[in-house]
């Protein structure tokens, strides 16, 4: 495969930059752990840099999008939060959808004044939640969204 063809596969979403560069799951996992530690210690700007890099390496991965959504929600950068939380919910729908990403998305949408969309996100989160606490949180968010 030529270099141009490989880059075309990345551009078309058939391959990730991480795959193209040979960056394996161990390295991606280590970067994720570093980003998580930075987040836990309130070093949000640095955590955002790590997770933005992870999204660039593999835009299909849900966790970096979820982490960015949470970081941007905490910083009240609501358009960015909604963007990344939407991406996380979509990425996790096929693998691990426990409703918690949908709850975060509902919170970001509600904070953005988008109550109808928040209601849909919260109802969907409640429907897929396997954990009682997540289901309760989603139900409460749905009630808040209704006004």
């Amino acid at each position: 495969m030529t270099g141009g063809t490989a880059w075309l596969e990345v551009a078309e979403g058939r391959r990730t930059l991480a795959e193209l560069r040979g960056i394996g799951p161990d390295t991606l996992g280590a970067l994720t752990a570093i980003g998580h530690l930075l987040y836990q210690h309130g070093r949000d700007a640095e955590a955002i840099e790590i997770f933005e890099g992870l999204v660039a390496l593999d835009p299909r991965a849900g966790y970096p999008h979820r982490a960015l959504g949470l970081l941007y929600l905490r910083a009240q950068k609501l358009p960015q939060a909604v963007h990344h939380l939407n991406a996380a919910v979509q990425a996790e729908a096929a693998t691990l959808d426990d409703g918690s990403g949908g709850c975060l998305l509902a919170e970001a949408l509600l904070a953005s004044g988008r109550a109808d969309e928040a209601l849909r996100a919260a109802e969907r989160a409640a429907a897929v939640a396997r954990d009682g606490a997540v289901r309760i949180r989603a139900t409460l968010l749905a009630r808040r969204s209704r006004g």
Side-chain angles (χ1 to χ4, degrees):
M1 179 177 308
T2 66
T5 305
W7 284 108
L8 182 61
E9 288 181 357
V10 170
E12 292 174 346
R14 293 183 285 137
R15 205 167 164 197
T16 67
L17 186 57
E19 292 167 340
L20 179 66
R21 293 292 187 199
I23 300 170
D26 289 344
T27 301
L28 294 172
L31 289 169
T32 299
I34 292 167
H36 188 77
L37 285 171
L38 290 167
Y39 163 77
Q40 286 182 316
H41 291 280
R43 295 170 62 181
D44 291 1
E46 294 163 291
I48 286 170
E49 285 183 36
I50 294 286
F51 288 118
E52 288 284 4
L54 286 164
V55 165
L57 289 170
D58 186 358
R60 298 177 291 198
Y63 185 80
H65 280 293
R66 183 191 290 231
L68 281 168
L70 184 58
L71 284 157
Y72 285 130
L73 183 60
R74 188 155 84 175
Q76 293 297 301
K77 294 182 177 180
L78 300 176
Q80 296 96 322
V82 169
H83 168 77
H84 285 289
L85 291 168
N86 260 323
V89 167
Q90 290 174 3
E92 294 169 351
T95 55
L96 172 70
D97 189 352
D98 63 358
S100 61
C103 286
L104 288 171
L105 176 58
E107 287 180 30
L109 289 165
L110 198 55
S112 298
R114 296 161 63 181
D116 290 343
E117 293 172 79
L119 176 60
R120 286 191 295 276
E123 287 175 340
R124 184 185 176 288
V128 300
R130 292 181 287 251
D131 179 73
V134 173
R135 193 174 307 109
I136 290 168
R137 180 175 168 210
T139 302
L140 291 172
L141 281 164
R143 284 186 188 155
R144 279 183 44 211
S145 299
R146 288 185 190 103

